[in-house]
């Protein structure tokens, strides 16, 4: 497995001094394989399945049980994703 520098604590600390607490978070979730399928080929480490799998896992763990967090299946057709995001934004 690829080891990353990403952890929930590191991400929170990185943003702590300049980010306001959001009332809603929308996490557009897509598998690493699908993400790579959509992106043109690149040789850097951010485009590797194992690395993307780890990053995805950190974000899913970080946000899975938090209030105000909405995970959207971004592998759905674009219009469905857009409709779901619009609904989340407009539902107060």
């Amino acid at each position: 497995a690829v080891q990353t520098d990403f952890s929930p604590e590191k991400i929170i600390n990185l943003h702590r001094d300049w980010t306001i607490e959001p009332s809603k978070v929308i996490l557009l979730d897509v598998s690493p394989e699908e993400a790579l399928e959509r992106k043109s080929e690149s040789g850097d480490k951010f485009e590797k399945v194992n690395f993307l799998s780890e990053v995805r896992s950190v974000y899913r763990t970080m946000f899975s049980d938090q209030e105000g967090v909405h995970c959207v299946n971004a592998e759905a057709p674009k219009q469905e994703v857009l409709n779901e995001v619009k609904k989340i934004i407009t539902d107060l």
Side-chain angles (χ1 to χ4, degrees):
V2 176
Q3 288 294 318
T4 67
D5 289 341
F6 291 162
S7 70
E9 297 79 19
K10 186 167 187 164
I11 294 167
I12 290 167
N13 287 333
L14 181 68
H15 296 281
R16 183 176 312 256
D17 293 334
W18 59 271
T19 303
I20 61 171
E21 192 71 27
S23 58
K24 294 182 182 184
V25 172
I26 300 173
L27 182 62
L28 299 175
D29 188 36
V30 64
S31 71
E33 294 81 8
E34 180 66 22
L36 291 174
E37 183 75 23
R38 294 178 183 182
K39 177 135 177 77
S40 62
E41 293 204 21
S42 171
D44 79 28
K45 71 177 184 175
F46 291 101
E47 305 310 319
K48 304 295 183 208
V49 170
N50 290 340
F51 180 80
L52 292 176
S53 293
E54 242 181 89
V55 172
R56 182 185 192 201
S57 177
V58 168
Y59 274 88
R60 291 173 112 188
T61 299
M62 185 174 169
F63 290 115
S64 64
D65 294 331
Q66 289 190 14
E67 188 175 334
V69 174
H70 306 271
C71 187
V72 174
N73 175 10
E75 292 187 24
K78 289 178 186 179
Q79 192 60 49
E80 286 180 33
V81 174
L82 178 60
N83 290 342
E84 189 170 347
V85 169
K86 283 180 179 179
K87 183 177 184 311
I88 292 166
I89 291 170
T90 58
D91 286 350
L92 299 176

Coordinates of all heavy atoms in Angstrom, one line a residue:
A1 N 0.8 -1.2 0.0 CA 0.0 0.0 0.0 C 0.9 1.2 0.0 O 1.9 1.3 0.6 CB -0.9 0.0 1.2
V2 N 0.4 2.2 -0.7 CA 1.1 3.5 -0.7 C 0.8 4.3 0.6 O -0.3 4.3 1.1 CB 0.6 4.4 -1.9 CG1 1.2 5.7 -2.0 CG2 0.8 3.6 -3.2
Q3 N 1.9 4.9 1.1 CA 1.7 5.7 2.3 C 1.6 7.2 1.9 O 2.5 7.6 1.2 CB 2.9 5.5 3.3 CG 2.9 4.1 4.0 CD 1.7 4.0 4.9 OE1 1.3 4.9 5.6 NE2 1.0 2.9 4.9
T4 N 0.6 7.8 2.4 CA 0.5 9.2 2.1 C 0.7 10.1 3.3 O 0.7 9.6 4.4 CB -1.0 9.5 1.6 OG1 -1.9 9.3 2.6 CG2 -1.4 8.7 0.4
D5 N 0.8 11.4 3.1 CA 0.9 12.3 4.2 C -0.5 12.8 4.6 O -0.6 13.7 5.4 CB 1.8 13.5 3.8 CG 3.2 13.2 3.7 OD1 3.6 12.1 4.3 OD2 4.0 13.9 3.0
F6 N -1.5 12.3 4.0 CA -2.9 12.7 4.3 C -3.4 12.0 5.5 O -3.3 10.8 5.6 CB -3.8 12.4 3.1 CG -3.5 13.3 1.9 CD1 -4.1 12.9 0.7 CD2 -2.8 14.4 2.0 CE1 -3.8 13.7 -0.4 CE2 -2.6 15.2 0.9 CZ -3.1 14.8 -0.3
S7 N -3.9 12.7 6.4 CA -4.7 12.2 7.6 C -5.7 13.2 7.9 O -5.6 14.4 7.6 CB -3.7 12.0 8.8 OG -3.3 13.2 9.3
P8 N -6.8 12.8 8.6 CA -7.8 13.8 8.9 C -7.2 14.9 9.8 O -7.5 16.1 9.5 CB -8.8 13.0 9.8 CG -8.7 11.6 9.2 CD -7.2 11.4 8.8
E9 N -6.3 14.6 10.7 CA -5.7 15.6 11.6 C -4.9 16.6 10.8 O -5.0 17.8 11.0 CB -4.9 15.0 12.7 CG -5.7 14.1 13.6 CD -6.0 12.7 13.1 OE1 -5.3 12.2 12.1 OE2 -6.9 12.1 13.6
K10 N -4.1 16.1 9.8 CA -3.3 17.0 9.0 C -4.1 17.9 8.1 O -3.8 19.1 8.0 CB -2.3 16.1 8.2 CG -1.3 17.0 7.4 CD -0.2 16.2 6.8 CE 0.8 17.1 6.2 NZ 2.1 16.5 6.0
I11 N -5.2 17.4 7.6 CA -6.1 18.2 6.7 C -6.7 19.3 7.6 O -6.8 20.4 7.2 CB -7.1 17.3 6.0 CG1 -6.4 16.4 5.0 CG2 -8.2 18.2 5.3 CD1 -7.3 15.3 4.5
I12 N -7.2 18.9 8.7 CA -7.9 19.9 9.6 C -6.9 21.0 10.0 O -7.2 22.2 10.0 CB -8.5 19.2 10.8 CG1 -9.7 18.4 10.4 CG2 -8.9 20.2 11.9 CD1 -10.3 17.4 11.4
N13 N -5.7 20.6 10.5 CA -4.7 21.5 10.9 C -4.2 22.4 9.8 O -3.9 23.6 10.0 CB -3.5 20.8 11.5 CG -3.8 20.2 12.9 OD1 -4.7 20.7 13.6 ND2 -3.1 19.1 13.3
L14 N -4.1 21.9 8.6 CA -3.7 22.7 7.4 C -4.7 23.9 7.2 O -4.2 25.0 6.8 CB -3.6 21.8 6.2 CG -3.2 22.5 4.9 CD1 -1.7 22.9 5.0 CD2 -3.3 21.5 3.8
H15 N -5.9 23.7 7.4 CA -7.0 24.7 7.1 C -7.4 25.5 8.3 O -8.2 26.4 8.2 CB -8.2 24.0 6.5 CG -7.9 23.4 5.2 ND1 -7.8 24.1 4.0 CD2 -7.6 22.1 4.8 CE1 -7.4 23.3 3.0 NE2 -7.3 22.1 3.5
R16 N -7.0 25.1 9.5 CA -7.5 25.6 10.8 C -7.4 27.1 10.9 O -8.4 27.8 11.3 CB -6.7 25.0 11.9 CG -7.2 25.4 13.3 CD -6.5 24.7 14.4 NE -6.4 23.3 14.1 CZ -7.2 22.4 14.7 NH1 -8.0 22.8 15.7 NH2 -7.1 21.1 14.4
D17 N -6.3 27.8 10.4 CA -6.1 29.2 10.7 C -6.9 30.1 9.7 O -7.0 31.3 9.9 CB -4.6 29.5 10.6 CG -3.9 28.9 11.8 OD1 -4.5 28.7 12.9 OD2 -2.7 28.7 11.7
W18 N -7.3 29.6 8.6 CA -7.9 30.4 7.6 C -9.3 30.0 7.0 O -9.9 30.7 6.2 CB -7.0 30.6 6.4 CG -6.6 29.4 5.7 CD1 -5.5 28.6 6.0 CD2 -7.3 28.8 4.6 NE1 -5.5 27.5 5.1 CE2 -6.6 27.6 4.3 CE3 -8.4 29.1 3.8 CZ2 -6.9 26.7 3.2 CZ3 -8.8 28.2 2.8 CH2 -8.0 27.1 2.5
T19 N -9.8 28.9 7.5 CA -11.1 28.3 7.0 C -12.2 28.5 8.0 O -12.0 28.3 9.2 CB -10.9 26.8 6.7 OG1 -9.9 26.7 5.8 CG2 -12.2 26.3 6.1
I20 N -13.3 29.0 7.6 CA -14.5 29.0 8.5 C -15.2 27.7 8.5 O -15.1 26.9 7.5 CB -15.5 30.2 8.1 CG1 -16.0 29.9 6.7 CG2 -14.8 31.5 8.2 CD1 -17.1 30.9 6.3
E21 N -15.9 27.4 9.5 CA -16.6 26.1 9.6 C -17.8 26.1 8.7 O -18.7 27.0 8.8 CB -17.1 25.9 11.1 CG -17.6 24.5 11.4 CD -16.5 23.5 11.4 OE1 -15.3 23.8 11.7 OE2 -16.8 22.3 11.1
P22 N -17.9 25.2 7.7 CA -19.0 25.2 6.8 C -20.3 24.7 7.4 O -20.2 23.9 8.4 CB -18.5 24.3 5.7 CG -17.6 23.3 6.4 CD -16.9 24.1 7.5
S23 N -21.4 25.1 6.9 CA -22.7 24.6 7.4 C -23.0 23.3 6.7 O -23.7 22.4 7.2 CB -23.8 25.6 7.2 OG -23.9 25.9 5.9
K24 N -22.4 23.1 5.5 CA -22.6 21.9 4.7 C -21.3 21.6 4.0 O -20.6 22.5 3.6 CB -23.7 22.0 3.7 CG -25.1 22.2 4.3 CD -26.1 22.3 3.2 CE -27.5 22.6 3.8 NZ -28.5 22.6 2.7
V25 N -21.1 20.3 3.9 CA -19.9 19.8 3.1 C -20.5 18.8 2.1 O -21.3 17.9 2.4 CB -18.9 19.1 4.0 CG1 -17.8 18.4 3.1 CG2 -18.3 20.1 5.0
I26 N -20.1 19.0 0.8 CA -20.6 18.0 -0.2 C -19.3 17.3 -0.7 O -18.4 17.9 -1.2 CB -21.3 18.7 -1.4 CG1 -22.5 19.5 -0.9 CG2 -21.6 17.7 -2.5 CD1 -23.2 20.4 -1.9
L27 N -19.3 16.0 -0.4 CA -18.2 15.2 -0.9 C -18.6 14.4 -2.1 O -19.6 13.6 -2.1 CB -17.9 14.2 0.3 CG -16.7 13.2 0.0 CD1 -15.4 14.0 -0.1 CD2 -16.6 12.3 1.2
L28 N -18.0 14.8 -3.2 CA -18.3 14.1 -4.5 C -17.4 12.8 -4.6 O -16.2 12.9 -4.8 CB -18.0 15.0 -5.7 CG -18.9 16.3 -5.7 CD1 -18.4 17.2 -6.8 CD2 -20.3 16.0 -5.8
D29 N -18.0 11.7 -4.3 CA -17.3 10.5 -4.2 C -17.3 9.7 -5.5 O -18.3 9.5 -6.2 CB -18.0 9.6 -3.2 CG -17.2 8.3 -2.8 OD1 -15.9 8.4 -2.8 OD2 -17.8 7.3 -2.6
V30 N -16.0 9.4 -6.0 CA -15.8 8.6 -7.2 C -14.7 7.7 -7.0 O -13.7 8.0 -6.3 CB -15.6 9.6 -8.4 CG1 -14.3 10.4 -8.2 CG2 -15.6 8.9 -9.7
S31 N -14.8 6.5 -7.5 CA -13.7 5.5 -7.4 C -12.4 6.0 -8.1 O -12.5 6.8 -9.1 CB -14.1 4.2 -8.0 OG -14.2 4.2 -9.4
P32 N -11.3 5.6 -7.6 CA -10.0 6.0 -8.3 C -10.0 5.6 -9.7 O -9.5 6.3 -10.6 CB -8.9 5.3 -7.5 CG -9.5 5.1 -6.1 CD -11.0 4.9 -6.4
E33 N -10.5 4.4 -10.0 CA -10.5 3.9 -11.4 C -11.4 4.8 -12.3 O -10.9 5.1 -13.4 CB -11.1 2.4 -11.4 CG -10.2 1.4 -10.7 CD -10.4 1.4 -9.2 OE1 -11.3 2.0 -8.7 OE2 -9.6 0.7 -8.5
E34 N -12.5 5.2 -11.8 CA -13.4 6.1 -12.6 C -12.7 7.5 -12.8 O -12.8 8.1 -13.8 CB -14.8 6.2 -12.0 CG -15.7 7.2 -12.7 CD -16.1 6.6 -14.1 OE1 -16.0 5.4 -14.4 OE2 -16.5 7.5 -14.9
A35 N -12.1 8.0 -11.7 CA -11.4 9.3 -11.8 C -10.3 9.2 -12.8 O -10.2 10.2 -13.6 CB -10.8 9.6 -10.4
L36 N -9.6 8.2 -12.8 CA -8.5 8.0 -13.8 C -9.0 7.9 -15.2 O -8.4 8.4 -16.2 CB -7.6 6.9 -13.5 CG -6.7 7.1 -12.2 CD1 -5.9 5.9 -11.9 CD2 -5.8 8.3 -12.4
E37 N -10.2 7.2 -15.3 CA -10.8 7.0 -16.7 C -11.2 8.4 -17.2 O -11.1 8.6 -18.4 CB -12.0 6.1 -16.5 CG -12.7 5.8 -17.8 CD -12.0 4.8 -18.6 OE1 -11.2 4.0 -18.1 OE2 -12.2 4.8 -19.9
R38 N -11.6 9.3 -16.4 CA -12.1 10.6 -16.8 C -10.9 11.6 -17.1 O -11.1 12.6 -17.7 CB -13.0 11.2 -15.7 CG -14.3 10.5 -15.5 CD -15.0 11.1 -14.4 NE -16.3 10.3 -14.1 CZ -17.1 10.7 -13.2 NH1 -16.9 11.8 -12.5 NH2 -18.2 10.0 -13.0
K39 N -9.8 11.3 -16.5 CA -8.7 12.2 -16.6 C -7.7 11.7 -17.7 O -7.5 10.6 -17.8 CB -8.0 12.3 -15.2 CG -6.8 13.2 -15.2 CD -6.8 14.0 -14.0 CE -5.6 14.9 -13.8 NZ -5.5 16.0 -14.7
S40 N -7.1 12.7 -18.4 CA -6.1 12.3 -19.3 C -4.9 11.7 -18.6 O -4.6 12.0 -17.4 CB -5.6 13.5 -20.2 OG -5.1 14.5 -19.3
E41 N -4.1 11.0 -19.3 CA -2.9 10.3 -18.7 C -1.9 11.3 -18.1 O -1.6 12.3 -18.7 CB -2.3 9.4 -19.7 CG -3.2 8.2 -20.0 CD -2.4 7.0 -20.5 OE1 -1.2 6.9 -20.2 OE2 -3.0 6.2 -21.2
S42 N -1.4 11.0 -17.0 CA -0.4 11.8 -16.3 C 0.6 10.9 -15.6 O 0.1 9.8 -15.1 CB -1.1 12.8 -15.4 OG -0.1 13.4 -14.6
G43 N 1.8 11.3 -15.4 CA 2.8 10.4 -14.8 C 3.0 10.7 -13.3 O 3.7 10.0 -12.7
D44 N 2.3 11.7 -12.8 CA 2.6 12.0 -11.4 C 1.8 11.2 -10.4 O 0.9 10.5 -10.8 CB 2.5 13.5 -11.1 CG 1.1 14.0 -10.9 OD1 0.2 13.2 -10.4 OD2 0.8 15.2 -11.1
K45 N 2.3 11.1 -9.1 CA 1.8 10.2 -8.2 C 0.3 10.4 -7.8 O -0.4 9.5 -7.4 CB 2.6 10.3 -6.9 CG 2.4 11.5 -6.1 CD 3.1 11.5 -4.8 CE 2.8 12.7 -3.9 NZ 3.5 12.6 -2.6
F46 N -0.2 11.6 -8.1 CA -1.6 11.9 -7.8 C -2.6 11.1 -8.7 O -3.7 11.0 -8.5 CB -1.9 13.3 -7.9 CG -1.3 14.1 -6.8 CD1 -0.1 14.8 -7.0 CD2 -1.8 14.1 -5.5 CE1 0.5 15.5 -6.0 CE2 -1.2 14.8 -4.5 CZ -0.1 15.5 -4.7
E47 N -2.0 10.5 -9.7 CA -2.9 9.8 -10.7 C -2.7 8.3 -10.6 O -3.1 7.6 -11.5 CB -2.5 10.3 -12.1 CG -2.5 11.7 -12.3 CD -3.8 12.4 -11.9 OE1 -4.9 11.8 -12.1 OE2 -3.8 13.4 -11.3
K48 N -2.3 7.8 -9.5 CA -2.1 6.4 -9.3 C -3.3 5.8 -8.5 O -3.7 6.4 -7.5 CB -0.8 6.1 -8.6 CG 0.4 6.6 -9.3 CD 0.6 5.9 -10.6 CE 1.9 6.5 -11.2 NZ 1.9 6.4 -12.6
V49 N -3.8 4.7 -8.8 CA -5.0 4.1 -8.2 C -4.7 3.9 -6.7 O -5.6 4.2 -5.9 CB -5.4 2.8 -8.8 CG1 -6.4 2.0 -8.0 CG2 -5.9 3.0 -10.3
N50 N -3.6 3.3 -6.3 CA -3.4 3.1 -4.9 C -3.4 4.4 -4.1 O -3.9 4.5 -3.0 CB -2.1 2.3 -4.6 CG -2.1 0.9 -5.1 OD1 -3.2 0.3 -5.3 ND2 -1.0 0.3 -5.3
F51 N -2.7 5.4 -4.6 CA -2.7 6.7 -3.9 C -4.1 7.3 -3.8 O -4.5 7.7 -2.7 CB -1.7 7.6 -4.6 CG -1.6 9.0 -4.0 CD1 -0.8 9.2 -2.9 CD2 -2.3 10.1 -4.5 CE1 -0.7 10.4 -2.3 CE2 -2.3 11.3 -3.9 CZ -1.4 11.5 -2.8
L52 N -4.8 7.3 -4.9 CA -6.1 7.8 -4.9 C -7.1 7.0 -3.9 O -7.9 7.6 -3.3 CB -6.7 7.9 -6.3 CG -6.1 8.9 -7.2 CD1 -6.6 8.7 -8.6 CD2 -6.2 10.3 -6.7
S53 N -6.9 5.7 -3.9 CA -7.6 4.9 -2.9 C -7.4 5.3 -1.5 O -8.3 5.4 -0.7 CB -7.3 3.4 -3.1 OG -7.7 3.0 -4.4
E54 N -6.2 5.6 -1.2 CA -5.8 6.0 0.2 C -6.4 7.4 0.5 O -7.0 7.6 1.6 CB -4.3 6.1 0.4 CG -3.9 5.1 1.4 CD -2.4 5.2 1.7 OE1 -2.0 6.0 2.5 OE2 -1.7 4.4 1.0
V55 N -6.3 8.3 -0.4 CA -6.9 9.7 -0.2 C -8.4 9.5 -0.1 O -9.0 10.1 0.9 CB -6.5 10.6 -1.4 CG1 -7.3 11.9 -1.3 CG2 -5.0 10.8 -1.4
R56 N -9.1 8.8 -0.9 CA -10.5 8.6 -0.8 C -10.9 8.0 0.6 O -11.8 8.5 1.2 CB -11.0 7.6 -1.9 CG -12.5 7.4 -1.9 CD -12.8 6.3 -3.0 NE -14.2 6.3 -3.2 CZ -14.8 5.2 -3.8 NH1 -14.1 4.2 -4.2 NH2 -16.1 5.2 -4.0
S57 N -10.1 7.0 1.0 CA -10.4 6.4 2.3 C -10.3 7.4 3.5 O -11.1 7.5 4.4 CB -9.4 5.3 2.6 OG -9.6 4.7 3.8
V58 N -9.3 8.3 3.4 CA -9.1 9.3 4.4 C -10.3 10.3 4.5 O -10.9 10.5 5.5 CB -7.8 10.1 4.3 CG1 -7.7 11.4 5.1 CG2 -6.6 9.2 4.6
Y59 N -10.7 10.7 3.3 CA -11.9 11.7 3.3 C -13.2 11.0 3.7 O -14.0 11.6 4.4 CB -12.0 12.3 1.9 CG -11.1 13.5 1.7 CD1 -9.8 13.4 1.3 CD2 -11.6 14.7 2.1 CE1 -9.0 14.5 1.2 CE2 -10.8 15.9 1.9 CZ -9.5 15.7 1.5 OH -8.7 16.8 1.4
R60 N -13.4 9.7 3.3 CA -14.6 9.0 3.7 C -14.6 8.8 5.2 O -15.6 9.0 5.9 CB -14.7 7.7 3.0 CG -15.0 7.9 1.5 CD -14.9 6.6 0.8 NE -16.3 6.2 0.4 CZ -16.6 5.1 -0.2 NH1 -15.7 4.1 -0.3 NH2 -17.8 4.9 -0.6
T61 N -13.4 8.5 5.8 CA -13.3 8.3 7.2 C -13.5 9.6 8.0 O -14.2 9.7 8.9 CB -11.9 7.7 7.6 OG1 -11.8 6.4 7.0 CG2 -11.8 7.6 9.1
M62 N -12.9 10.7 7.4 CA -12.9 12.0 8.0 C -14.4 12.5 8.1 O -14.7 13.2 9.1 CB -12.0 12.9 7.2 CG -11.9 14.3 7.8 SD -10.7 15.1 6.7 CE -10.9 16.8 7.3
F63 N -15.1 12.3 7.1 CA -16.5 12.9 7.0 C -17.6 12.0 7.2 O -18.8 12.4 7.3 CB -16.6 13.6 5.6 CG -15.8 14.8 5.5 CD1 -14.8 14.8 4.5 CD2 -15.9 15.9 6.2 CE1 -14.0 15.9 4.3 CE2 -15.1 17.0 6.1 CZ -14.2 17.0 5.1
S64 N -17.4 10.7 7.4 CA -18.5 9.7 7.4 C -19.6 10.0 8.4 O -20.8 9.8 8.2 CB -18.0 8.3 7.5 OG -17.3 8.1 8.8
D65 N -19.2 10.4 9.6 CA -20.2 10.5 10.7 C -20.5 12.0 11.1 O -21.1 12.2 12.1 CB -19.8 9.7 11.9 CG -19.8 8.3 11.6 OD1 -20.6 7.8 10.8 OD2 -19.0 7.5 12.3
Q66 N -20.1 12.9 10.3 CA -20.2 14.3 10.7 C -21.6 14.9 10.2 O -22.0 14.6 9.1 CB -19.1 15.2 10.1 CG -17.8 14.9 10.8 CD -16.7 15.9 10.4 OE1 -17.0 17.0 9.8 NE2 -15.5 15.6 10.7
E67 N -22.2 15.7 11.1 CA -23.4 16.3 10.7 C -23.1 17.4 9.6 O -22.1 18.0 9.7 CB -24.0 17.0 11.9 CG -25.4 17.6 11.7 CD -26.0 18.1 13.0 OE1 -25.6 17.7 14.1 OE2 -26.8 19.0 12.9
G68 N -24.0 17.5 8.7 CA -23.9 18.5 7.6 C -23.0 18.0 6.5 O -22.8 18.8 5.5
V69 N -22.6 16.8 6.5 CA -21.8 16.2 5.4 C -22.7 15.4 4.5 O -23.4 14.5 5.0 CB -20.6 15.4 5.9 CG1 -19.8 14.7 4.8 CG2 -19.6 16.3 6.7
H70 N -22.6 15.6 3.2 CA -23.4 14.9 2.3 C -22.5 14.2 1.3 O -21.7 14.9 0.6 CB -24.4 15.8 1.6 CG -25.2 16.6 2.5 ND1 -26.4 16.1 3.0 CD2 -25.0 17.8 3.1 CE1 -26.9 17.0 3.8 NE2 -26.1 18.0 3.9
C71 N -22.5 12.9 1.2 CA -21.7 12.2 0.2 C -22.5 11.9 -1.0 O -23.6 11.3 -0.9 CB -21.2 10.9 0.8 SG -20.0 10.0 -0.2
V72 N -22.1 12.4 -2.2 CA -22.8 12.2 -3.4 C -22.0 11.3 -4.3 O -20.8 11.4 -4.5 CB -22.9 13.6 -4.1 CG1 -23.5 13.4 -5.5 CG2 -23.7 14.6 -3.3
N73 N -22.8 10.3 -4.8 CA -22.2 9.3 -5.8 C -21.9 10.1 -7.1 O -22.8 10.2 -7.9 CB -23.1 8.1 -6.0 CG -22.5 7.2 -7.0 OD1 -21.4 7.3 -7.5 ND2 -23.4 6.2 -7.4
A74 N -20.7 10.5 -7.3 CA -20.3 11.2 -8.5 C -20.1 10.3 -9.7 O -19.8 10.8 -10.8 CB -19.0 12.1 -8.2
E75 N -20.3 9.0 -9.5 CA -20.3 8.1 -10.7 C -21.6 8.1 -11.4 O -21.7 7.5 -12.5 CB -19.8 6.7 -10.2 CG -18.3 6.8 -9.8 CD -17.8 5.4 -9.5 OE1 -18.3 4.4 -10.0 OE2 -16.8 5.3 -8.8
A76 N -22.6 8.6 -10.8 CA -23.9 8.7 -11.4 C -23.9 9.6 -12.6 O -22.9 10.4 -12.8 CB -25.0 9.2 -10.4
P77 N -24.9 9.6 -13.5 CA -24.9 10.5 -14.6 C -24.8 12.0 -14.1 O -25.3 12.3 -13.1 CB -26.2 10.2 -15.3 CG -26.5 8.8 -15.0 CD -26.0 8.6 -13.5
K78 N -24.2 12.8 -14.9 CA -23.9 14.2 -14.5 C -25.2 14.9 -14.1 O -25.1 15.7 -13.1 CB -23.3 15.0 -15.7 CG -21.9 14.6 -16.0 CD -21.3 15.4 -17.2 CE -20.0 14.9 -17.6 NZ -19.4 15.7 -18.8
Q79 N -26.3 14.8 -14.8 CA -27.5 15.5 -14.4 C -28.0 15.0 -13.0 O -28.5 15.9 -12.2 CB -28.6 15.3 -15.5 CG -29.7 16.3 -15.3 CD -29.3 17.7 -15.3 OE1 -28.7 18.2 -16.2 NE2 -29.8 18.5 -14.3
E80 N -27.9 13.7 -12.7 CA -28.3 13.2 -11.4 C -27.4 13.8 -10.3 O -27.9 14.2 -9.2 CB -28.2 11.7 -11.4 CG -29.3 11.0 -12.1 CD -29.2 9.5 -12.0 OE1 -28.7 9.0 -11.0 OE2 -29.5 8.8 -13.0
V81 N -26.1 13.9 -10.6 CA -25.2 14.5 -9.6 C -25.5 16.0 -9.4 O -25.7 16.4 -8.2 CB -23.7 14.3 -10.0 CG1 -22.8 15.1 -9.1 CG2 -23.3 12.9 -10.1
L82 N -25.7 16.7 -10.4 CA -26.1 18.1 -10.3 C -27.4 18.3 -9.6 O -27.5 19.1 -8.7 CB -26.2 18.7 -11.7 CG -26.7 20.2 -11.8 CD1 -25.7 21.1 -11.1 CD2 -26.8 20.6 -13.3
N83 N -28.4 17.5 -9.9 CA -29.7 17.6 -9.2 C -29.5 17.3 -7.7 O -30.2 18.0 -6.9 CB -30.7 16.6 -9.8 CG -31.2 17.0 -11.2 OD1 -31.0 18.2 -11.6 ND2 -31.7 16.1 -11.9
E84 N -28.8 16.3 -7.3 CA -28.6 16.0 -5.9 C -27.8 17.1 -5.2 O -28.2 17.5 -4.1 CB -27.8 14.7 -5.8 CG -27.8 14.2 -4.3 CD -27.2 12.8 -4.2 OE1 -27.1 12.0 -5.2 OE2 -27.0 12.4 -3.0
V85 N -26.8 17.7 -5.8 CA -26.1 18.8 -5.2 C -27.0 20.0 -5.1 O -27.0 20.6 -4.0 CB -24.8 19.1 -6.1 CG1 -24.2 20.5 -5.6 CG2 -23.8 18.0 -6.0
K86 N -27.8 20.3 -6.1 CA -28.7 21.4 -6.0 C -29.7 21.2 -4.8 O -30.0 22.1 -4.0 CB -29.5 21.6 -7.3 CG -28.8 22.2 -8.4 CD -29.7 22.3 -9.6 CE -29.0 23.0 -10.8 NZ -29.9 23.1 -11.9
K87 N -30.2 20.0 -4.6 CA -31.1 19.7 -3.6 C -30.4 19.9 -2.2 O -31.0 20.4 -1.3 CB -31.6 18.2 -3.7 CG -32.7 17.8 -2.7 CD -33.2 16.4 -2.9 CE -34.3 16.0 -2.0 NZ -34.1 16.2 -0.6
I88 N -29.2 19.4 -2.1 CA -28.5 19.6 -0.8 C -28.3 21.1 -0.5 O -28.5 21.5 0.7 CB -27.1 18.9 -0.9 CG1 -27.3 17.3 -0.9 CG2 -26.2 19.3 0.3 CD1 -26.1 16.6 -1.3
I89 N -27.9 21.8 -1.5 CA -27.7 23.3 -1.3 C -29.0 24.0 -0.9 O -28.9 24.9 0.0 CB -27.1 23.9 -2.6 CG1 -25.6 23.3 -2.7 CG2 -27.1 25.4 -2.5 CD1 -25.0 23.7 -4.1
T90 N -30.1 23.6 -1.5 CA -31.3 24.4 -1.3 C -32.1 23.9 -0.1 O -32.9 24.6 0.5 CB -32.2 24.4 -2.5 OG1 -32.5 23.0 -2.9 CG2 -31.6 25.1 -3.7
D91 N -31.9 22.7 0.4 CA -32.5 22.2 1.6 C -31.8 22.7 2.8 O -30.7 22.4 3.1 CB -32.5 20.6 1.6 CG -33.5 20.0 0.7 OD1 -34.3 20.7 0.1 OD2 -33.4 18.8 0.5
L92 N -32.5 23.6 3.5 CA -31.9 24.2 4.7 C -32.4 23.5 6.0 O -33.4 23.1 6.2 CB -32.1 25.7 4.8 CG -31.6 26.4 3.6 CD1 -32.0 27.9 3.7 CD2 -30.0 26.3 3.6

